Amino acid sequence: MANQALANQSSSQVMRQERESLSRAMLAATTRGNAAPAALVLEDGTAFVGTSCGAAGEATGEICFNTSLEGYLEVITDPSYAGQIVTMTYPQIGNYGVNLDDTQSAKPALRGLVVNNMCRTPSNWRSAQSLPDFLVEHNIVAIEGIDTRALVRHIRDHGAQKAIISATGTVDLDDLAAKVAASPSIVGINLAETVSCDAPYAFNELPESHAFAVAAPLKPRHRIVAYDCGVKRSILQGLVRAGCDVQVVPWNTSAEEVLAQNPDGVFLSNGPGDPDAVEETFTQVEKLLGKVPVFGICLGHQMISLACGAQIEKLKFGHRGGNQPVMNLISGRVEITAQNHGFGLVYPSLGELIPEESGGFSEPVDDLRFWVRNGVAPVVRNPRFGRIRLTHVNLNDGTCEGIQLLDVPAFSVQYHPEASPGPTDAHYLFTAFVRLMDGDPDYLDIDVSKDRLAGWVFGAEKEAANA
C-alpha cells in the first residue's frame, strides 16, 4: 500500500509538471509571453504579486490611483505624477497603443505603473507603438496581473503611502518591505523643479494629427507668461487656441523678470508634489498679484493660495481621474472635471467670512458642501489681498476646487481645464482668462454648457449640411 501511494504521488507530480510546462509553452506562444514575476509592496506591508509589463528594475514612490476610463498615455506623461506610482482603475490598459502627439511631456515623470491587464497588441489607426514598448523605452517599471480593485480600496481606506514595484525576476517580499520603509516621502520635497523647463521658450505647438477633432486656434491677441511647474502640453495648447501668445518660463523665475516682459497676463501651471516646498514660486506670485491678471490651475491654484497666506493640507488619497464632480457656485452648474493632485487649499484659512457677502453666515465650515446646499458663494477677507470668493467645491469630499480674488484680477481652480484626458466641461476657464485680460468684470459669468464644445469640430460638417 505504501509503495502504491508513493507511485501515485510521483505520478501526480509528473502530471502537474507537465501541465505547468504546457501552460508556459502556450503562454509563450501568445503576445503576452512568459513575463517575469513582479511584486508591489506598500509601506504598511500589504503586498501584491503579478508579472512585469514594463522595464526591468525597481521603483519607489507614493502609491496613488487614477479613475479615468481612457487617456492612459496622457496620465503616464503628465509631469504632475513625478514621484508617484500610478494605479489605473480601468481594467485593461494599452488597447489603443501610443501616439506621441498625445504625450504631455518629453518623457514620463512617474516612478511606476500598476494595471490589472496590459494590452500588447493595440488596435488604433493613430497608434505608433504598444504601451509596454513605450514603458521599456523610457525605463518605467510596471506590474500587471494584480487585483487593482482591492488595491484601490486599500488606498481609500488607509490613505496615500510609500510603495515599491519590483520587476527584477525574483520576489523577496521581506527585502522589498525594508526598501520601501527606507525610501523618502514626497512631503517636503520640491518636485516641481525636477520637471520644469531649464530656460524660457515660446510655445505655439499644435499637432496636425489633432486637426481632425479640434478647430484652428483664435488669432493671438494677448501676450502671457506661463510658469512651468510641470505644465502639460495640452494646457499650453489650450491657451494658444484661446488666442494667447505664450512665453513659458522656469518655475523659479522672478516676478521682476516676468513683469519686465510687460505681459497681459500670467498663467500658473499644474505640477507635482508638496506645494509648500515650492516656495520660490509662490513668493513670486505674491509680488505679481495686483500687478497683472493671474490664472492658476492645480499647483498654480495652490501657489495663489499660499501667496495669500493660506494653509494647504495633504488629502487622504487625493483626486485623480476624469470624473470628479465639482459644483460651480457662480453658475450653479455641476462640472465633471479632470484632476490630479494630492494636496488642497483649506479655504477658511484665507480669512474671516464677510457675512453680508456670504448669505449672512459668519462661522467657517470644514465641509464646503455646506455652501452648495445653501446656494451661496461665500467671501472671506484676506489680510493680504482683500476679498476672496469660494467659486468651486468638490462634491465628493467638500474640499475647495476654486477661488476668485475680488479686489485684484486673479482666479484659480484645483483641476485641469483641457480634457487631456477627461471631459470638456471646464474649457470655459481659458475663455474666462482671456476675458479677465480684456478687463471684463464678469469674466467668470459664462454659459458653461455652450463653451464646453467650443473649438471642437466633431459633427461640424453634418451640422452645416443640415443648416
Side-chain angles (χ1 to χ4, degrees):
M1 293 290 290
N3 290 338
Q4 182 63 43
L6 288 173
N8 290 340
Q9 183 178 359
S10 177
S11 176
S12 176
Q13 290 176 343
V14 169
M15 292 177 63
R16 183 168 60 253
Q17 291 172 353
E18 289 178 346
R19 287 196 299 269
E20 291 175 354
S21 177
L22 179 60
S23 175
R24 287 193 296 271
M26 293 174 64
L27 189 59
T30 69
T31 57
R32 187 170 301 279
N34 283 315
L40 170 71
V41 178
L42 276 56
E43 185 179 2
D44 63 8
T46 304
F48 298 84
V49 177
T51 56
S52 173
C53 58
E58 291 182 349
T60 59
E62 183 181 82
I63 189 76
C64 66
F65 60 89
N66 185 292
T67 58
S68 296
L69 301 183
E70 44 72 44
Y72 53 79
L73 182 62
E74 289 90 335
V75 170
I76 291 168
T77 55
D78 181 349
S80 295
Y81 280 112
Q84 294 183 308
I85 295 172
V86 181
T87 304
M88 300 300 296
T89 62
Y90 192 74
Q92 188 173 62
I93 300 298
N95 307 54
Y96 50 86
V98 169
N99 183 297
L100 296 180
D101 282 348
D102 297 340
T103 58
Q104 298 302 305
S105 58
K107 61 181 180 179
L110 80 172
R111 299 279 177 82
L113 182 68
V114 181
V115 303
N116 176 262
N117 183 275
M118 178 68 79
C119 176
R120 289 165 171 77
T121 55
S123 177
N124 187 283
W125 63 276
R126 299 178 69 239
S127 177
Q129 67 181 135
S130 72
L131 182 56
D133 287 344
F134 180 81
L135 296 174
V136 171
E137 178 182 328
H138 291 282
N139 199 33
I140 301 299
V141 178
I143 184 174
E144 68 169 327
I146 72 170
D147 188 345
T148 50
R149 295 171 299 178
L151 172 59
V152 170
R153 285 196 297 269
H154 187 83
I155 297 171
R156 286 180 62 89
D157 291 341
H158 300 280
Q161 55 187 289
K162 297 185 294 182
I164 184 171
I165 297 179
S166 176
T168 60
T170 60
V171 174
D172 185 333
L173 297 182
D174 291 335
D175 178 58
L176 294 177
K179 287 180 178 179
V180 72
S183 65
S185 167
I186 69 169
V187 177
I189 303 298
N190 183 354
L191 291 170
E193 67 176 332
T194 69
V195 291
S196 180
C197 60
D198 296 324
Y201 65 94
F203 183 91
N204 54 13
E205 170 193 329
L206 295 177
E208 292 183 6
S209 69
H210 291 180
F212 79 98
V214 186
L218 298 177
K219 183 179 179 180
R221 58 191 181 91
H222 286 297
R223 293 182 62 256
I224 71 164
V225 171
Y227 271 83
D228 177 10
C229 295
V231 69
K232 295 161 65 177
R233 284 174 178 161
S234 56
I235 291 175
L236 295 176
Q237 290 164 3
L239 291 167
V240 171
R241 294 187 185 282
C244 296
D245 182 348
V246 181
Q247 179 75 15
V248 183
V249 298
W251 68 281
N252 57 352
T253 303
S254 71
E256 291 76 15
E257 291 178 72
V258 170
L259 293 173
Q261 298 185 42
N262 195 29
D264 297 317
V266 171
F267 174 76
L268 307 172
S269 84
N270 62 294
D274 185 351
D276 281 312
V278 197
E279 184 175 1
E280 289 181 66
T281 300
F282 67 75
T283 53
Q284 301 311 309
V285 174
E286 186 174 359
K287 299 175 185 178
L288 292 168
L289 290 172
K291 304 284 182 56
V292 63
V294 178
F295 171 36
I297 69 162
C298 199
L299 184 67
H301 163 73
Q302 297 160 359
M303 293 297 96
I304 290 178
S305 302
L306 287 168
C308 293
Q311 175 188 346
I312 301 294
E313 64 178 345
K314 192 174 193 313
L315 303 178
K316 185 176 181 181
F317 48 79
H319 303 150
R320 299 178 179 88
N323 50 8
Q324 294 280 334
V326 169
M327 172 60 78
N328 183 326
L329 296 175
I330 305 300
S331 68
R333 292 181 179 271
V334 174
E335 303 168 16
I336 303 302
T337 66
Q339 304 200 13
N340 175 16
H341 61 102
F343 295 80
L345 162 65
V346 180
Y347 177 71
S349 69
L350 284 169
E352 294 184 359
L353 282 169
I354 304 175
E356 57 269 28
E357 296 189 53
S358 305
F361 296 101
S362 59
E363 295 298 321
V365 294
D366 293 328
D367 188 337
L368 302 182
R369 287 173 291 191
F370 170 87
W371 303 110
V372 175
R373 291 190 294 270
N374 285 278
V376 174
V379 178
V380 298
R381 190 174 303 283
N382 182 260
R384 299 182 182 180
F385 295 105
R387 297 169 301 149
I388 301 179
R389 171 183 288 151
L390 175 68
T391 56
H392 298 79
V393 174
N394 188 292
L395 293 177
N396 282 338
D397 61 8
T399 54
C400 175
E401 292 282 4
I403 57 173
Q404 177 188 17
L405 279 64
L406 299 180
D407 296 322
V408 300
F411 73 110
S412 60
V413 294
Q414 185 61 79
Y415 48 95
H416 296 189
E418 88 300 342
S420 292
T424 61
D425 293 25
H427 176 275
Y428 73 96
L429 293 167
F430 292 121
T431 306
F433 185 35
V434 171
R435 289 174 52 162
L436 174 63
M437 290 186 287
D438 287 339
D440 186 343
D442 297 319
Y443 62 92
L444 279 176
D445 185 14
I446 295 173
D447 188 335
V448 177
S449 63
K450 292 182 179 179
D451 191 89
R452 67 184 295 269
L453 296 177
W456 295 92
V457 297
F458 292 119
E461 293 181 1
K462 182 178 180 181
E463 290 181 8
N466 295 331

